[in-house]
């Protein structure tokens, strides 16, 4: 393969029907510089790009590059359909957007993997799929649906439960801020709402926003500037740096407004970026949106929900920004009709409880990540997969570049994840011997820094002499492997045989699908601050990843 930033694969538009409607160009990137002299990799690291354009640099800058070098692995990253330049159609009207579903995305991955394996004669070389945030969600779902195609999956800071009213996000943000800082922000937002009734232009001008910006979206912009900062506190440091100064002015509304407006302008509205750049309704057009905003909002409106709504009257988030606002205003404005996400269907087919008997999925979650509330329940017993919990860290912290002041827990988590990846590629467990016993080699935590692997056969772990010696050496760590008394079964979920239904009448209606009231007007279109910030973050994250 000649070196170049992007390659093109002809991907099928509709996998779920015999009535073919053609193909589209799907982009992918490759890093092959770690291959052995014979040109054959020992493994393929399969990176999912997530809900934004694919940056070709992700194959060169990611947390597992060193392990790829160590194990002579090939790194491949695939851009998801409807993101970046992987566009199936020349426009994004509703009929064309109908092919943007979880099922179609997972079929894309399988189709691409088969193509790539055959084209470069990779044979039975192991594939490990991985990603952070939504990319990790797709990675784990792919292992769930196709356990025979990928040996393992790594899913970091990834949500797995679809939810209409994502109130837990708001609760977690307030917990992270702490009671004093959260109270100060509640006072501030109440003051802003009061000012908007008296002098709308003035309060918006404090944030360099125009008067015509939709009132509710203006409030959403401000609340998401705050919650986004908390989500990525590892970078923004709002909790440790901003809150101590902010709480001193809890009872001085004007001072709170001055401080927060300066923060928002400095962090988000800089270098001539205006509030209009965060106007979601700007993406109501059917024109191609290369940023991914229209595509991601479609996925929220149609399947996942994940509407970040206030958790109750104690929330600083304005009460007008509930799920009805999302369904009846945001979704309707962008796609012409109110929409109700099919969260029950997603949870039944792909929900986190389905992972109970899937092997070799490594879940990592951070203690301060608001998204962790939709991830794997820490109390869920996973006999054949593993979880790494990183206290005090924020969203995708273990995927960001190492910093001198990183916590010991974060450093240990990176080392342990690397050790798990080594076990996925070349396990301590003898795969041939284990296979003779009709068993599987399962990666397990050995210490806070290392993993090993054991053979599970007939419901019991077969401990080799090598593992026994390791356990004896590590006895003082209190992390010896406990016996498992469950029978391993591969549980695949999905509905491959269902035809793709492009009639959206079951999911949406031209009428309102829930009722809500608001004391503020909503006269003009607007945009989700969080969505755009996430996409901007994803487009530049390769500069922050471990080299």
């Amino acid at each position: 393969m000649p070196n170049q930033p992007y390659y093109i694969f002809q991907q099928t538009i509709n996998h779920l029907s015999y009535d073919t409607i053609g193909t589209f160009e799907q982009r992918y990137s490759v890093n092959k510089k770690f291959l052995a002299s014979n040109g054959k990799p020992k493994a393929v690291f399969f990176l999912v790009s997530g809900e934004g354009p694919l940056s070709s640099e992700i194959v060169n800058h990611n947390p597992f590059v060193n392990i790829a070098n160590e194990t002579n692995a090939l790194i491949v990253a695939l851009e998801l359909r409807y993101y970046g330049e992987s566009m199936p159609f020349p426009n994004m009207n509703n009929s064309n957007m109908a092919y943007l579903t979880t099922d179609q995305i997972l079929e894309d991955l399988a189709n691409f993997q088969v193509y790539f394996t055959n084209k470069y004669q990779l044979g039975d070389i192991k594939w490990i799929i991985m990603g952070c945030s939504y990319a990790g969600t797709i990675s784990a779902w792919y292992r769930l649906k196709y356990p025979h195609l990928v040996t393992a999956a790594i899913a970091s800071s990834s949500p797995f439960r679809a939810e209409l009213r994502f109130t837990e996000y708001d609760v977690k943000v307030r917990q992270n801020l702490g009671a004093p800082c959260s109270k100060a922000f509640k006072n501030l937002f109440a003051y802003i709402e009061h000012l908007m009734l008296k002098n709308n232009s003035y309060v918006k001008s404090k944030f360099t926003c125009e008067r015509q910006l939709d009132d509710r979206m203006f409030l959403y912009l401000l609340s998401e500037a705050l919650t986004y900062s908390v989500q990525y506190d590892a970078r923004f440091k709002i909790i440790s740096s901003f809150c101590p100064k902010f709480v001193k002015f809890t009872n001085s509304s004007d001072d709170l407004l001055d401080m927060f407006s300066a923060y928002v302008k400095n962090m988000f509205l800089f270098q001539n970026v205006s509030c209009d750049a965060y106007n979601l309704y700007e993406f109501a057009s059917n024109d191609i949106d290369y940023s991914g905003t229209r595509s991601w909002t479609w996925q929220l409106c149609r399947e996942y929900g994940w509407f970040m709504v206030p958790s109750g009257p104690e929330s600083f988030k304005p009460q007008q920004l509930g799920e009805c606002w999302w369904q009846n205003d945001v979704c309707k404005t962008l796609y012409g009709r109110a929409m109700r996400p099919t969260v029950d269907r997603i949870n039944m087919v792909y929900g986190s409880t389905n992972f109970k008997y899937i092997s070799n999925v490594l879940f990592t979650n951070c203690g301060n990540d608001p998204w962790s509330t939709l991830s794997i329940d820490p109390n869920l017993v996973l006999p054949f997969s593993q979880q790494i919990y990183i206290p005090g860290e924020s969203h995708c912290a273990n995927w960001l570049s190492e910093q001198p002041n990183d916590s010991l827990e974060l450093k240990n988590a990176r080392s342990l994840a690397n050790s798990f990846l080594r076990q996925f590629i070349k396990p301590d467990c003898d795969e041939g011997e284990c296979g003779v016993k009709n068993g599987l080699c399962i990666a397990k935590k050995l210490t806070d820094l290392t993993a090993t692997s054991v053979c599970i056969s007939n419901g019991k772990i077969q401990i080799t002499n090598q593992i026994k010696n390791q356990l004896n050496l590590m006895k003082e760590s209190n992390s010896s492997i406990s016996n498992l008394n469950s029978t391993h079964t591969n549980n695949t979920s999905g509905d491959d045989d269902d035809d793709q239904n492009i009639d959206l009448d079951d999911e949406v209606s031209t009428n309102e699908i829930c009722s809500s009231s608001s004391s503020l007007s909503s006269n003009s279109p607007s945009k989700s601050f969080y969505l755009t910030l996430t996409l901007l973050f994803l487009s530049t994250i390769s500069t922050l990843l471990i080299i």
Side-chain angles (χ1 to χ4, degrees), residues 237-268:
K237 305 296 183 184
I238 189 171
I239 297 172
S240 60
S241 299
F242 185 79
C243 275
K245 304 172 185 177
F246 193 66
V247 297
K248 294 179 180 179
F249 300 98
T250 299
N251 297 319
S252 177
S253 300
D254 287 326
D255 288 329
L256 291 177
L257 179 59
D258 288 341
M259 286 189 66
F260 188 57
S261 62
Y263 175 84
V264 171
K265 287 185 288 187
N266 183 52
M267 291 296 185
F268 304 112

Side-chain angles (χ1 to χ4, degrees), residues 288-344:
I288 293 293
D289 166 32
Y290 295 104
S291 76
T293 305
R294 181 171 173 82
S295 302
W296 182 239
T297 310
W298 170 272
Q299 292 191 266
L300 299 185
C301 290
R302 185 176 186 187
E303 291 190 311
Y304 306 140
W306 293 339
F307 301 144
M308 298 173 187
V309 300
S311 56
E314 68 279 3
S315 174
F316 57 78
K317 187 182 287 286
Q319 299 299 311
Q320 300 93 332
L321 307 179
E323 72 275 14
C324 294
W325 172 68
W326 270 99
Q327 294 177 84
N328 295 332
D329 287 62
V330 176
C331 299
K332 185 175 181 179
T333 300
L334 264 67
Y335 311 112
R337 59 183 80 179
M339 299 178 71
R340 188 188 305 278
T342 57
V343 296
D344 291 340

Side-chain angles (χ1 to χ4, degrees), residues 6-8 11 24-28 48-55 77-89 91-92 96-97 99-102 104-106 108-109 134-135 138 280 283 287-304 306 334-335 530-532 534-536 538-539:
Y6 298 102
Y7 301 88
I8 298 298
Q11 183 64 267
F24 68 96
E25 293 185 346
Q26 189 167 28
R27 294 195 305 175
Y28 66 98
V48 179
S49 66
E51 72 277 28
L54 170 65
S55 169
L78 182 67
E79 185 171 69
L80 297 186
R81 60 170 56 206
Y82 292 86
Y83 290 99
E85 297 185 17
S86 297
M87 292 292 170
F89 298 99
N91 67 65
M92 302 179 74
N96 291 340
M97 292 287 286
Y99 299 97
L100 176 53
T101 67
T102 303
Q104 297 281 6
I105 288 173
L106 295 178
D108 283 349
L109 298 178
Y134 179 64
I138 291 297
L280 184 59
F283 297 88
D287 295 339
I288 293 293
D289 166 32
Y290 295 104
S291 76
T293 305
R294 181 171 173 82
S295 302
W296 182 239
T297 310
W298 170 272
Q299 292 191 266
L300 299 185
C301 290
R302 185 176 186 187
E303 291 190 311
Y304 306 140
W306 293 339
L334 264 67
Y335 311 112
Y530 167 78
L531 296 175
T532 300
T534 298
L535 295 166
L536 291 173
L538 289 170
S539 68

Side-chain angles (χ1 to χ4, degrees), residues 267-398:
M267 291 296 185
F268 304 112
L269 301 174
F270 55 89
Q271 295 180 346
N272 298 319
V273 176
S274 70
C275 294
D276 289 338
Y278 301 106
N279 187 339
L280 184 59
Y281 293 153
E282 291 293 321
F283 297 88
S285 167
N286 292 332
D287 295 339
I288 293 293
D289 166 32
Y290 295 104
S291 76
T293 305
R294 181 171 173 82
S295 302
W296 182 239
T297 310
W298 170 272
Q299 292 191 266
L300 299 185
C301 290
R302 185 176 186 187
E303 291 190 311
Y304 306 140
W306 293 339
F307 301 144
M308 298 173 187
V309 300
S311 56
E314 68 279 3
S315 174
F316 57 78
K317 187 182 287 286
Q319 299 299 311
Q320 300 93 332
L321 307 179
E323 72 275 14
C324 294
W325 172 68
W326 270 99
Q327 294 177 84
N328 295 332
D329 287 62
V330 176
C331 299
K332 185 175 181 179
T333 300
L334 264 67
Y335 311 112
R337 59 183 80 179
M339 299 178 71
R340 188 188 305 278
T342 57
V343 296
D344 291 340
R345 190 262 177 187
I346 290 294
N347 290 332
M348 179 174 292
V349 177
Y350 301 111
S352 59
T353 55
N354 294 328
F355 290 108
K356 186 171 183 180
Y357 296 115
I358 293 298
S359 64
N360 288 342
V361 181
L362 176 62
F363 304 96
T364 66
N365 278 299
C366 298
N368 288 354
D369 179 14
W371 285 97
S372 64
T373 58
L374 297 184
S375 189
I376 298 297
D377 186 339
N379 298 317
L380 180 66
V381 177
L382 298 173
F384 311 112
S385 292
Q386 293 290 304
Q387 297 191 60
I388 297 177
Y389 177 77
I390 314 172
E393 297 295 340
S394 56
H395 192 65
C396 290
N398 57 314

Side-chain angles (χ1 to χ4, degrees), residues 499-514:
D499 287 346
Q500 174 70 21
N501 178 14
I502 62 173
D503 183 356
L504 302 181
D505 289 341
D506 289 340
E507 286 115 11
V508 296
S509 169
T510 56
N511 299 319
E512 289 192 354
I513 52 181
C514 64

Side-chain angles (χ1 to χ4, degrees), residues 321 470 479:
L321 307 179
Q470 284 182 297
S479 59

Side-chain angles (χ1 to χ4, degrees), residues 57-82:
E57 278 303 295
I58 195 172
V59 296
N60 302 314
H61 301 269
N62 64 75
F64 305 110
V65 166
N66 289 338
I67 306 302
N69 186 18
E70 175 187 320
T71 60
N72 302 124
L74 180 71
I75 306 176
V76 181
L78 182 67
E79 185 171 69
L80 297 186
R81 60 170 56 206
Y82 292 86

